[in-house]
Amino acid sequence: MRLIQGPIQVLLVFAKEDSQSDAFWWACDRAGFSCTIARTPEAALESFLAQHHEVVVVDGRHARYFQAEVVCQLIRATKPSENTVIVAVVPQKECFTEAIFKPCGRGVSVARCYNELLQMQHGEVRCHFKLRACNSAFTALEQCGEAVEISSEDHIIQYVNPALERLMGYQQGELVGKELPKSDKNRAELLDTINNCINKGKEWQGVYYAQRKTGDSMKQHVKITPVTGQGGKIRHFVAIKKAYGDNNKFTAMSLVVSAAECQCQRHRDRRKDSVDSRSLSSRGSDAPTLHNRRYSSVARIHSMTIEAPITKVINIINAAQESSPVVVAEALDRVLEILRTTELYSPQLGSKEDDPHTNDLVGGLMSDGLRRLSGNEYVFSKSKRSKPGQLSIPMTLNDVPQSIADLLADEERWEFNILGLEAATHKRPLTYLGLKVFTGMGVCEFLNCSEATLRSWLQVMEASYHASNSYHNSTHAADVLHATAYFLRKERVKGILDQLDVVAALVAATVHDVDHPGRTNSFLCNAGSELAILYNDTAVLESHHAALAFQLTVRDSKSNIFKNIDRTQFRTLRQAIIDMVLATEMTRHFEHVNKFVNSINKPMAAIEESNSNVSTVPNIRSSPENRLLIKRMMIKCADVANPCRPLELCIEWAGRISEEYFAQTDEEKLQGLPVVMPVFDRNTCSVPKSQISFIDYFITDMFDAWDAFASLPGLMENLSENYKYWKGLDEMKCKSLRPPPSP
């Protein structure tokens, strides 16, 4: 069931105002909860009956004012308290005997109260909210015209609605607690098939005979759905039945399945005591028990039937298999086998002999590298960090030397020479280009920060890139920043993304490879690096880039570009930046591209081809989900746009990335690590072949999709010409970046 819950109402029962009550008040305000304070038990009861609070916090530290147990009993004696969570604050060495209370330390902080309230919100409160909604679900079942039966795992009937009682000829209550009589007309093979299917957790739908109260057999259409509970075990079976020949569809399925598990939930959650209290603890030793209680509540929620879309698809196919011919059933088996894999968006490659360059690129860039050798560790060398050049960084754009200003004048063109800027700035292009781009696109105004703060931040970020890397250095970051800014200026992109999206994209491009060691994720995982261990071998570098960027930013007020924006805006901006940086990780490359194509390209194309409802195209693009896909696609394309650059730049970048891969292969051999990209051996590698494979496998489809959205004819022309160049070198059997000199 999809339910929308309004703001949670909290009742604080404190006899007097003190630091504890203030902490809860501010915690409620921070969480967005509605808060009421009562000073006496009578006032608390009156307020509760008027507002039906979801959470009641009772002060049990001072017995001279009132007894906390009495307050709990007063509230629990009312009908609305059935789905209310009551917690109590008690002294360090005291607790009530009838409820699970834990002592609460003095000076509880707002943060601790806030965390406790959030745990209750996502645990007991949400659980009770769903239970309240179940009353509506069962009311719907009572009025439903379809016959519904809910039975236990042992097929003992737990619930039948009036429609089923009428269908089977029973009076109210005659079936509950019993097993429905079986008809002799059902073949044993059919019953075995049904049991085998539903006991595996699959839905079964078909026709069988049921025995009515009169003893005669009745042919019925039946749909049986297993409902799993806590621990993934089947707890209930839901059956929807109708007389054979009735062509009405089964329309109540989703409602019944949710209601069935909610009924199960009701039985598990009933309390014997009228006082249901929880206490708040600030002692670390109490945390495990508190966590266990929170986990129990969350586990109960997750035991409800909340199906992912792919699960629903698999269930539909399972149902279709039951009544399909053998050939179709076998084909559906293959479909199910594919759907149950985790790599739904990644194409499957053939043998390594087909294209070793492609296979090595996929292995090196898209695997998690879970072949780590014990005892090996890769630690970033501090000496690899870039050192300040001789050129002083200007305070503002007005102080930029003329030679650099002339180069930056072309910054808005795709042909902008980033390598020329690298040379002119003594390998500090990111700060200069960042000043120009950020200032020109209104970043300082949005963040309410000075140009001096921006300059300081750019210097900190650039200094954290490794100048010794041939590819993943601050010049690459500047190149990605330039491409991102170029894409942001395209009319279709400008019309969809707001200023927060623009700022997030520019910041993400600037920091997306900060502190990159010049090695791939697979290398770090195989070497057992500290970062790989920290991030559990998952998106290791991308997680590090995002985390370090924020650590460096907030470390010093002089370079904290976010210091003047409010908390809500900062959190939204931070999430957008992190999401874009993580999108540059290649293991989910095809997932991002395919989602973009299916959610944006195809719907747009369908609307434009039909020449109808053209006004709906912007709505398709600008939904929050699609804006997220657009930002991910934009930074992904900016990150690997080298094959779409003018030829000279394309050649230079190809040489730089190849050198970095060569160095990694050298180090893998030296340390005895698995060589994740064997073709990148500097003695045997064909750079043209590697570029052809990279373009064929990763670039072409992605830029076709991005071009269809953003309209980038110049880039696509460059891509075509550069591909021809590499093809030509490959046909000449040339392994280097340029053709051999003519004799």
Side-chain angles (χ1 to χ4, degrees):
M1 291 186 293
R2 295 187 177 182
L3 305 171
I4 299 176
Q5 185 173 12
I8 291 176
Q9 298 189 82
V10 179
L11 174 61
L12 303 180
V13 187
F14 282 76
K16 63 177 184 177
E17 182 178 350
D18 59 11
S19 60
Q20 184 79 69
S21 65
D22 287 345
F24 275 111
W25 175 271
W26 289 111
C28 290
D29 181 70
R30 180 177 172 185
F33 298 166
S34 173
C35 185
T36 306
I37 295 181
R39 299 300 183 194
T40 65
E42 294 76 16
L45 181 60
E46 181 180 354
S47 178
F48 178 78
L49 290 174
Q51 299 184 49
H52 299 174
H53 302 82
E54 284 87 1
V55 177
V56 178
V57 181
V58 184
D59 185 4
R61 298 168 299 163
H62 310 294
R64 65 179 178 273
Y65 296 118
F66 54 73
Q67 294 289 332
E69 283 184 296
V70 173
V71 178
C72 293
Q73 289 168 355
L74 283 173
I75 294 176
R76 277 287 177 237
T78 65
K79 180 65 175 176
S81 70
E82 181 181 4
N83 293 306
T84 296
V85 178
I86 302 179
V87 300
V89 181
V90 299
Q92 280 279 354
K93 297 182 179 180
E94 297 179 16
C95 65
F96 300 132
T97 58
E98 295 182 7
I100 304 173
F101 276 85
K102 291 201 168 42
C104 181
R106 297 176 183 175
V108 173
S109 67
V110 174
R112 179 168 290 279
C113 294
Y114 174 73
N115 289 336
E116 286 288 342
L117 289 172
L118 287 188
Q119 289 184 63
M120 283 187 280
Q121 178 191 12
H122 295 288
E124 289 94 332
V125 173
R126 183 175 293 177
C127 179
H128 285 301
F129 176 65
K130 288 179 176 285
L131 290 178
R132 289 200 304 272
C134 284
N135 291 327
S136 300
F138 278 100
T139 299
L141 285 174
E142 292 291 311
Q143 303 299 321
C144 179
E146 294 172 343
V148 179
E149 168 197 313
I150 302 175
S151 61
S152 68
E153 56 204 286
D154 299 323
H155 304 288
I156 303 300
I157 295 175
Q158 306 291 304
Y159 169 85
V160 293
N161 70 344
L164 187 132
E165 290 176 334
R166 290 193 299 270
L167 180 69
M168 302 302 295
Y170 287 90
Q171 298 297 318
Q172 186 175 10
E174 288 184 334
L175 290 173
V176 175
K178 303 175 183 178
E179 189 171 356
L180 193 67
K182 295 181 174 61
S183 171
D184 295 335
K185 289 191 175 183
N186 293 314
R187 291 178 289 108
E189 295 83 358
L190 175 62
L191 297 178
D192 289 341
T193 300
I194 295 174
N195 287 326
N196 289 335
C197 181
I198 62 177
N199 288 333
K200 291 179 181 178
K202 298 180 180 180
E203 182 182 274
W204 182 87
Q205 182 173 336
V207 177
Y208 76 43
Y209 289 91
Q211 185 174 312
R212 303 179 78 247
K213 185 178 180 180
T214 57
D216 58 316
S217 294
M218 181 182 188
K219 196 173 185 181
Q220 298 176 341
H221 287 289
V222 181
K223 179 189 286 185
I224 305 175
T225 301
V227 180
T228 57
Q230 223 169 332
K233 183 179 179 182
I234 296 174
R235 301 293 184 181
H236 291 85
F237 296 103
V238 176
I240 302 179
K241 305 180 178 182
K242 59 185 178 182
Y244 184 76
D246 185 354
N247 293 322
N248 293 329
K249 294 183 177 179
F250 294 110
T251 57
M253 194 64 232
S254 59
L255 175 65
V256 172
V257 172
S258 296
E261 189 55 31
C262 288
Q263 186 194 47
C264 177
Q265 190 88 357
R266 279 178 173 275
H267 291 295
R268 289 200 298 264
D269 289 351
R270 282 179 179 165
R271 293 173 172 83
K272 296 180 180 178
D273 298 324
S274 63
V275 180
D276 180 14
S277 308
R278 300 289 186 271
S279 68
L280 300 167
S281 171
S282 62
R283 295 175 57 187
S285 62
D286 295 329
T289 306
L290 178 65
H291 169 75
N292 289 340
R293 290 192 286 108
R294 302 297 184 209
Y295 178 82
S296 176
S297 298
V298 174
R300 290 197 301 270
I301 293 171
H302 285 298
S303 72
M304 295 182 181
T305 306
I306 304 175
E307 281 189 316
I310 190 65
T311 307
K312 294 179 181 179
V313 170
I314 290 174
N315 287 340
I316 291 171
I317 295 174
N318 279 328
Q321 271 189 306
E322 300 298 329
S323 56
S324 298
V326 175
V327 176
V328 176
E330 290 176 351
L332 291 176
D333 271 334
R334 175 59 180 154
V335 171
L336 289 172
E337 182 182 339
I338 295 171
L339 289 178
R340 289 190 177 106
T341 68
T342 57
E343 302 297 331
L344 294 178
Y345 292 94
S346 299
Q348 296 178 335
L349 297 176
S351 63
K352 281 195 174 285
E353 289 73 17
D354 292 341
D355 185 355
H357 291 80
T358 299
N359 281 276
D360 281 5
L361 283 169
V362 172
L365 299 178
M366 298 187 66
S367 72
D368 291 326
L370 299 179
R371 295 172 291 174
R372 185 169 64 243
L373 302 183
S374 59
N376 293 309
E377 191 172 89
Y378 184 80
V379 183
F380 295 154
S381 171
K382 298 297 181 183
S383 63
K384 288 189 175 185
R385 299 283 181 85
S386 58
K387 298 179 180 180
Q390 300 299 316
L391 188 67
S392 61
I393 301 297
M395 289 297 294
T396 66
L397 279 174
N398 296 328
D399 303 322
V400 172
Q402 189 58 45
S403 59
I404 297 176
D406 292 341
L407 285 169
L408 290 173
D410 285 339
E411 171 264 324
E412 294 191 10
R413 300 176 62 245
W414 182 252
E415 293 74 21
F416 174 68
N417 187 358
I418 191 67
L419 301 180
L421 184 65
E422 176 191 58
T425 59
H426 302 290
K427 295 189 175 182
R428 302 299 295 273
L430 183 58
T431 300
Y432 285 90
L433 181 64
L435 278 171
K436 178 73 184 298
V437 170
F438 278 56
T439 303
M441 303 194 79
V443 174
C444 290
E445 290 82 357
F446 181 84
L447 296 176
N448 192 23
C449 72
S450 65
E451 222 174 292
T453 302
L454 172 63
R455 174 187 58 83
S456 178
W457 179 78
L458 287 167
Q459 285 182 282
V460 170
M461 291 302 124
E462 184 150 44
S464 299
Y465 279 88
H466 299 190
S468 57
N469 290 345
S470 61
Y471 183 85
H472 287 101
N473 49 42
S474 68
T475 304
H476 167 66
D479 185 59
V480 175
L481 173 62
H482 170 262
T484 301
Y486 181 85
F487 294 149
L488 286 169
R489 294 188 185 104
K490 303 303 289 184
E491 287 301 320
R492 288 188 176 179
V493 180
K494 276 200 304 185
I496 295 170
L497 302 184
D498 58 24
Q499 186 61 15
L500 187 144
D501 294 323
V502 170
V503 173
L506 296 176
V507 172
T510 302
V511 307
H512 82 282
D513 272 335
V514 68
D515 197 38
H516 197 294
R519 300 292 181 265
T520 64
N521 280 331
S522 294
F523 178 94
L524 299 183
C525 294
N526 288 333
S529 76
E530 292 177 349
L531 285 181
I533 294 172
L534 176 64
Y535 293 110
N536 300 315
D537 294 334
T538 304
V540 175
L541 284 172
E542 293 72 24
S543 299
H544 175 60
H545 302 324
L548 181 63
F550 282 98
Q551 290 170 359
L552 295 172
T553 299
V554 302
R555 187 172 62 185
D556 188 347
S557 178
K558 293 179 181 179
S559 56
N560 186 355
I561 58 175
F562 305 125
K563 62 184 176 183
N564 293 327
I565 60 176
D566 64 64
R567 179 177 298 175
T568 301
Q569 195 173 47
F570 171 70
R571 287 186 62 82
T572 304
L573 187 64
R574 170 174 157 80
Q575 271 317 116
I577 294 167
I578 293 172
D579 185 83
M580 293 182 73
V581 172
L582 294 181
T584 63
E585 200 252 338
M586 294 298 287
T587 60
R588 297 180 63 190
H589 171 81
F590 292 101
E591 177 182 345
H592 293 318
V593 173
N594 278 289
K595 284 182 177 178
F596 183 86
V597 170
N598 290 315
S599 299
I600 297 175
N601 287 148
K602 289 183 178 179
M604 283 173 52
I607 291 172
E608 290 169 355
E609 286 175 7
S610 65
N611 294 319
S612 62
N613 295 325
V614 178
S615 61
T616 64
V617 174
N619 295 331
I620 292 175
R621 301 191 197 117
S622 59
S623 69
E625 296 80 7
N626 287 350
R627 283 170 55 206
L628 191 68
L629 296 178
I630 290 168
K631 288 184 289 183
R632 290 173 179 170
M633 191 71 159
M634 177 170 62
I635 197 168
K636 283 182 60 63
C637 289
D639 189 30
V640 292
N642 307 332
C644 298
R645 293 289 188 183
L647 181 60
E648 287 304 312
L649 293 177
C650 173
I651 293 173
E652 177 63 23
W653 285 121
R656 292 187 178 197
I657 190 62
S658 297
E659 177 55 40
E660 202 163 280
Y661 288 162
F662 292 158
Q664 174 171 311
T665 300
D666 291 342
E667 186 169 355
E668 286 166 336
K669 291 179 178 179
L670 184 65
Q671 292 192 24
L673 297 174
V675 178
V676 295
M677 294 186 287
V679 297
F680 283 97
D681 184 312
R682 65 176 69 252
N683 299 314
T684 59
C685 180
S686 168
V687 176
K689 281 186 180 296
S690 69
Q691 287 298 301
I692 292 168
S693 297
F694 183 67
I695 292 172
D696 282 340
Y697 196 72
F698 292 104
I699 298 299
T700 301
D701 289 344
M702 182 170 69
F703 270 90
D704 279 342
W706 186 236
D707 171 54
F709 170 72
S711 184
L712 304 162
L715 277 69
M716 301 309 291
E717 184 177 346
N718 286 347
L719 178 60
S720 177
E721 292 301 318
N722 295 340
Y723 187 77
K724 290 177 183 177
Y725 174 81
W726 297 120
K727 273 288 191 181
L729 289 183
D730 183 46
E731 290 170 0
M732 295 168 59
K733 307 298 182 184
C734 178
K735 296 184 178 181
S736 60
L737 294 168
R738 300 183 186 276
S742 302

